[in-house]
Amino acid sequence: MVNKVILIGNLGADPEIRYTPSGTAVATLRLATSRRWKDRDGNLQEETEWHRVIAWAQQAEFCSNYLSKGNKVYVEGRLQTRKWKDQNDIDRYTTEIIAATVQNLSPRGSDSAGGGYEQPPLPPEPFGGMSGGGTGEDVPF
């Protein structure tokens, strides 16, 4: 089974950092992703989705030290849904991304949301890929 999320978006606020009683850093990020499309009439439409991202330990420290509102970031992690009861004893739910990787895609010295975009590193190719010096000519089809 797979539970994996990859997002590229802009931070809507500076990361919020706090610490557990044992001293582990926890950062909360508000990340906006947008999609654009043309409707049937040819009008450009845009939809923005907001995500709550949680980073722990060294990733949290990185977020606190190097990220700020408007930065374009790459996030890779997993979905987690939590349940709690509010003041009126009603069940509430929240779904958040628990980050394994957070990378700043904005160029250094840039505080703008539209900063330069760098492609995140490619994941390793399954089964070793063809990067081992092979030309692919030995493939039987």
Side-chain angles (χ1 to χ4, degrees):
M1 294 189 217
V2 177
N3 179 357
K4 186 168 191 167
V5 175
I6 296 174
L7 299 171
I8 295 175
N10 294 316
L11 293 181
D14 289 342
E16 297 174 15
I17 191 156
R18 56 192 192 285
Y19 295 88
T20 65
S22 64
T24 303
V26 183
T28 303
L29 310 174
R30 291 182 43 218
L31 185 68
T33 57
S34 298
R35 70 180 188 104
R36 294 182 184 143
W37 73 96
K38 287 189 177 181
D39 62 17
R40 291 184 195 177
D41 301 326
N43 298 320
L44 189 61
Q45 301 291 321
E46 183 173 3
E47 177 181 76
T48 300
E49 185 77 29
W50 287 93
H51 311 275
R52 179 181 166 101
V53 178
I54 308 298
W56 289 86
Q58 293 171 330
Q59 284 290 329
E61 296 286 353
F62 167 81
C63 293
S64 175
N65 293 330
Y66 297 103
L67 299 179
S68 59
K69 179 179 178 176
N71 282 148
K72 185 177 293 274
V73 295
Y74 168 88
V75 173
E76 188 173 321
R78 63 182 172 84
L79 285 178
Q80 176 177 286
T81 301
R82 294 186 297 119
K83 175 183 171 183
W84 75 95
K85 292 196 180 279
D86 69 8
Q87 298 169 352
N88 299 321
D89 206 34
I90 297 173
D91 287 343
R92 300 289 182 181
Y93 298 86
T94 188
T95 300
E96 50 203 13
I97 292 92
I98 307 302
T101 302
V102 179
Q103 293 180 353
N104 187 358
L105 299 179
S106 294
R108 289 186 187 182
S110 170
D111 291 330
S112 65
Y117 175 84
E118 295 176 23
Q119 191 73 5
L122 292 173
E125 293 185 44
F127 312 111
M130 293 179 15
S131 59
T135 62
E137 295 192 22
D138 56 342
V139 178
F141 50 88

